[in-house]
């Protein structure tokens, strides 16, 4: 097990407003981490900062990936390094099919051109696992997709791109019970000792399959409490207010 991601004293501002206020986080390969906290605490801000979204401005602190300083690296370099983010509200992309979108992304990330037929066979196998109709591969990305199918398409990208760090931003929101089970089982099967998972969620159902190694409570831009999976029970019993005093 080796260090994969290290966030040191990270301060992030969005449109001049400070959201993260000195956040520290370390993730080793093979680990699953969960970030929990009330709305507006800075969870999605952390994910976007790690991914390199230019809207999220680093005003202090550093981000390291596999020992390399990526604080100022653009999104495409972080993706090539092995960072992937599944969005809470995936957008539609007109003019390119799901298959071509993912195949082009895989070619870019891997640096190797993807042969059509082997790629398609693997794509269809992953779609079967996600209980996705194969016709979705031929449709424009997320065009007319339900919320559930959009989330499944995000997980399909993860399976095909094979990132070292996968960040799931409320991937379970808006999903019915069956879809949560399918998505979480697919992520669990993908996860191994060579990659890591970072999850934002408000619900415990998805965590029954992902089995987190660490749970972090994010309040007012800082991680104020970290622990093992038992911390989830404390949160469900007492809510986030019980941690708020630790964020001062």
């Amino acid at each position: 097990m080796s260090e994969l991601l290290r966030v040191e004293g990270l301060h992030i501002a969005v449109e001049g407003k400070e959201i993260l206020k000195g956040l520290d986080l370390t993730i080793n390969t093979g680990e699953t981490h969960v970030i929990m906290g009330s709305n507006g605490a800075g969870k999605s801000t952390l994910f976007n900062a790690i991914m390199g979204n230019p809207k999220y401005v680093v005003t202090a602190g550093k981000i390291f990936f596999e020992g390399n300083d990526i604080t100022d690296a653009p999104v495409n370099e972080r993706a090539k390094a092995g960072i992937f983010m599944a969005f809470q509200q995936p957008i539609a992309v007109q003019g390119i099919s799901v298959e071509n979108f993912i195949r082009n992304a895989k070619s870019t990330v891997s640096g190797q051109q993807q042969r059509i037929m082997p790629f398609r066979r693997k794509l269809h196998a992953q779609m079967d696992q996600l209980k996705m109709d194969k016709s979705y591969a031929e449709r424009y990305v997320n065009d007319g997709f339900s919320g559930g199918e959009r989330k499944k398409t995000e997980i399909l990208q993860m399976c095909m791109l094979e990132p070292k760090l996968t960040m799931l931003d409320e991937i379970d929101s808006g999903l019915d019970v069956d879809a949560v089970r399918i998505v979480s089982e697919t992520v669990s099967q993908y996860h191994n000792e060579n990659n890591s998972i970072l999850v934002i969620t408000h619900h415990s159902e998805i965590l029954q399959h992902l089995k987190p190694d660490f749970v972090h409570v994010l309040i007012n831009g800082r991680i104020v409490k970290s622990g093992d999976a038992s911390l989830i029970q404390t949160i469900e019993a007492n809510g986030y207010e019980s941690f708020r005093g630790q964020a001062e």
Side-chain angles (χ1 to χ4, degrees), residues 3-232:
E3 180 184 284
L4 183 65
L5 176 78
R6 176 162 39 96
V7 177
E8 291 184 350
L10 192 64
H11 290 250
I12 297 292
V14 179
E15 298 179 348
K17 180 180 179 181
E18 188 176 51
I19 306 298
L20 298 187
K21 304 174 182 179
L23 187 145
D24 297 302
L25 177 67
T26 299
I27 298 175
N28 295 317
T29 55
E31 294 179 344
T32 296
H33 289 241
V34 177
I35 304 288
M36 303 186 79
S38 57
N39 292 332
K43 302 183 300 296
S44 293
T45 295
L46 172 61
F47 277 31
N48 277 282
I50 294 171
M51 196 69 245
N53 187 330
K55 177 182 176 182
Y56 297 79
V57 180
V58 178
T59 57
K62 294 287 185 179
I63 303 172
F64 297 91
F65 190 71
E66 294 190 308
N68 299 312
D69 186 350
I70 63 167
T71 309
D72 299 318
V75 174
N76 65 314
E77 288 187 11
R78 301 185 196 210
K80 287 181 180 179
I83 302 176
F84 172 79
M85 179 175 172
F87 292 93
Q88 182 178 350
Q89 297 178 325
I91 63 171
V93 181
Q94 294 286 340
I96 184 169
S97 70
V98 168
E99 179 177 333
N100 285 337
F101 178 82
I102 299 177
R103 186 160 62 90
N104 289 339
K106 180 68 173 181
S107 296
T108 299
V109 168
S110 68
Q112 298 178 339
Q113 193 65 32
Q114 301 298 300
R115 296 172 56 199
I116 292 177
M117 293 313 297
F119 179 86
R120 183 172 294 165
R121 284 194 294 269
K122 183 175 180 180
L123 182 74
H124 286 176
Q126 292 293 347
M127 294 180 80
D128 285 340
Q129 184 174 347
L130 285 162
K131 303 294 190 292
M132 293 182 70
D133 191 296
K134 293 183 182 65
S135 63
Y136 279 90
E138 303 170 8
R139 294 171 59 176
Y140 292 158
V141 177
N142 293 328
D143 185 30
F145 289 20
S146 68
E149 295 301 338
R150 290 186 180 212
K151 295 296 184 69
K152 287 185 178 181
T153 300
E154 294 286 284
I155 299 304
L156 179 63
Q157 293 178 52
M158 177 202 74
C159 292
M160 298 301 294
L161 296 178
E162 301 176 296
K164 298 172 184 175
L165 174 65
T166 296
M167 299 187 292
L168 305 176
D169 188 355
E170 294 193 40
I171 197 69
D172 51 344
S173 66
L175 298 184
D176 60 31
V177 174
D178 289 336
V180 169
R181 177 183 55 79
I182 291 168
V183 164
S184 58
E185 286 179 351
T186 301
V187 174
S188 180
Q189 290 173 20
Y190 170 76
H191 179 47
N192 59 44
E193 62 183 9
N194 298 313
N195 60 53
S196 303
I197 308 292
L198 181 58
V199 184
I200 292 173
T201 185
H202 290 289
H203 310 289
S204 60
E205 289 84 356
I206 191 170
L207 302 180
Q208 294 174 10
H209 296 280
L210 297 186
K211 303 185 187 322
D213 299 296
F214 298 95
V215 176
H216 310 279
V217 179
L218 182 57
I219 302 288
N220 194 27
R222 296 186 181 92
I223 291 176
V224 300
K225 182 73 173 179
S226 297
D228 59 21
S230 65
L231 186 55
I232 298 169

